Amino acid sequence: MEYRKLQGTDLTVSAVGFGVWTVGTTWWGVKDEEMGKGLLRRAFDLGVTFFDNADTYASGRAEELQREALGGVRDQIVIGTKFGYDIYTHPERPGQQERPHDWTPAYLRKALEGSLKRLGTDYIDYYQLHNPRMDAIAPGSALADDLWAELDRAKSEGLIRAYGTALGPALNERQIEEGIASVRDRRAPTQIIYNLLEQMLGEAILPAGEAAGVGVMARVPHASGLLEGYMTLDTEFEPGDHRNWRMTTNARRKAWMEDGLKKVEQLQAQFVEGRGRTVGQLAIQFALRSPVMASVLPNIYSAQNLEEYAATFDAAPLTDEEFGAIQALYRENFGLTHDLRGEVVAGGAK
């Protein structure tokens, strides 16, 4: 495993992290909590030290599950969790729907107290605004300034070590402005959807983070399964599985899916076969390319993909020449005539 500093903080995290949403909810096919706990423990054994959670995942149950799995190694891991959605007065509804945000200092304190209790800890290492809009980030807004001042107070009290933003829920152009404001104006790390097929946010936010010396994290590095190497147009999932969005009969999304698989075929042929790496490892290597990228959060839902991703740093590294060739393909849309990039939001809502 490789470890990196989350620039702008004093935190050091594993370059491959674990997004607890895959085992703390049922959206990725993991319905057995004991299996989920086993994956969390195995990840720690493989060197994963950064575990990213949120109070809204199963209305707090994901945080409890993490405590039950990893409570005994609290001093050896970096805990990230998120707040902002009012889970206390707005019950969870069927499907993946956003609840109303509450960015008041009073709600921040209530949310922080709840997460500390569920996680079984006295402090949160990395506390993130969950899918904020600009009104909760931009300096000069009374709402935002009061919120960030309260984060500073919580940090001075030792309740959190660092704070940042996690942008979403799904890929949207507005997040460019939000991410730049986070790293440049608030000097707070940000988490974005970023992968070699969906680079819109990274193209703008990574340079801003590098200029400010503030870190970035990436989720959905495998484009919700496309870059894992198993998906085809015939792949089916159970009802309620988050990946079903890619199997919709909507003609526009189907065309986007078909284009995506054609791109993966080219990546397999040029950068995977005979190169000493899997396409899943290639995707992680690509996402970690920027010096300001601290950690990527692949969707981990099986022992097999956990082992594969944790072994990324034993695989043949991505060379400068290969990286340049991938970017040339991306700029040319892999030679495809229909450029659907950005027209279908990524399946990274969380």
Side-chain angles (χ1 to χ4, degrees):
M1 183 59 64
E2 183 178 295
Y3 301 90
R4 298 186 173 192
K5 181 177 174 61
L6 177 58
Q7 293 185 31
T9 78
D10 63 357
L11 303 176
T12 297
V13 296
S14 54
V16 172
F18 196 127
V20 184
W21 80 317
T22 58
V23 298
T25 70
T26 60
W27 301 341
W28 286 85
V30 180
K31 299 179 180 180
D32 182 343
E33 287 196 348
E34 291 307 312
M35 176 185 173
K37 294 176 191 177
L39 287 173
L40 290 168
R41 296 186 187 106
R42 180 57 182 154
F44 175 75
D45 291 341
L46 291 170
V48 175
T49 59
F50 178 57
F51 295 86
D52 186 49
N53 216 319
D55 59 5
T56 192
Y57 300 163
S59 298
R61 177 57 191 154
E63 292 179 321
E64 295 173 341
L65 185 144
Q66 180 176 323
R67 180 197 70 227
E68 293 166 8
L70 299 171
V73 295
R74 172 64 185 98
D75 60 341
Q76 301 177 59
I77 63 174
V78 177
I79 294 178
T81 198
K82 310 180 193 76
F83 76 99
Y85 289 119
D86 184 354
I87 67 172
Y88 298 99
T89 57
H90 297 277
E92 189 169 9
R93 294 173 293 172
Q96 298 171 44
Q97 303 178 45
E98 288 191 90
R99 309 183 203 191
H101 280 122
D102 187 337
W103 298 119
T104 62
Y107 185 76
L108 184 157
R109 290 288 177 161
K110 180 175 182 178
L112 179 56
E113 180 181 352
S115 287
L116 289 168
K117 181 178 180 181
R118 289 187 293 269
L119 287 162
T121 182
D122 296 327
Y123 64 94
I124 304 295
D125 296 290
Y126 184 49
Y127 204 41
Q128 302 156 83
L129 282 68
H130 198 175
N131 299 338
R133 309 311 194 249
M134 278 297 289
D135 64 347
I137 303 173
S141 157
L143 170 73
D145 289 346
D146 288 348
L147 172 67
W148 291 80
E150 194 67 20
L151 285 167
D152 279 328
R153 280 188 284 273
K155 183 178 178 182
S156 69
E157 295 166 16
L159 298 176
I160 58 177
R161 293 178 60 194
Y163 50 75
T165 59
L167 306 182
L171 185 65
N172 191 298
E173 189 174 4
R174 70 152 203 283
Q175 292 157 22
I176 295 174
E177 183 183 18
E178 295 163 0
I180 291 174
S182 182
V183 299
R184 183 189 63 196
D185 301 333
R186 292 295 181 182
R187 299 194 61 77
T190 193
Q191 180 189 130
I192 63 174
I193 294 171
Y194 178 67
N195 58 69
L196 60 78
L197 299 181
E198 297 162 321
Q199 298 187 37
M200 177 177 68
L201 301 184
E203 287 173 330
I205 295 170
L206 287 169
E210 292 174 14
V214 177
V216 178
M217 294 185 177
R219 71 177 184 274
V220 202
H222 295 106
S224 298
L226 269 177
L227 292 166
E228 291 181 32
Y230 71 86
M231 194 173 285
T232 72
L233 287 175
D234 297 323
T235 302
E236 295 182 359
F237 301 101
E238 295 181 5
D241 191 295
H242 187 70
R243 290 162 289 187
N244 272 321
W245 80 275
R246 292 207 187 265
M247 305 304 152
T248 178
T249 57
N250 178 280
R252 197 65 173 168
R253 289 189 172 184
K254 183 177 180 181
W256 190 94
M257 179 70 172
E258 290 173 346
D259 278 8
L261 290 173
K262 291 175 183 176
K263 294 172 184 178
V264 173
E265 287 179 4
Q266 293 185 50
L267 293 169
Q268 289 272 19
Q270 297 184 46
F271 306 103
V272 174
E273 295 174 5
R275 298 293 183 111
R277 65 172 74 97
T278 67
V279 70
Q281 292 168 340
L282 172 69
I284 291 174
Q285 292 171 342
F286 179 90
L288 287 169
R289 187 71 178 185
S290 168
V292 81
M293 185 66 75
S295 186
V296 300
L297 299 161
N299 289 321
I300 296 170
Y301 49 86
S302 72
Q304 180 180 353
N305 69 358
L306 170 59
E307 300 274 349
E308 176 187 346
Y309 303 154
T312 293
F313 307 101
D314 297 322
L318 182 66
T319 67
D320 292 343
E321 181 181 8
E322 289 174 321
F323 178 79
I326 289 172
Q327 290 300 69
L329 282 172
Y330 180 80
R331 288 191 297 270
E332 298 165 1
N333 194 36
F334 292 74
L336 302 180
T337 56
H338 300 291
D339 190 349
L340 302 178
R341 292 175 296 181
E343 296 191 22
V344 179
V345 295
K350 66 188 279 283

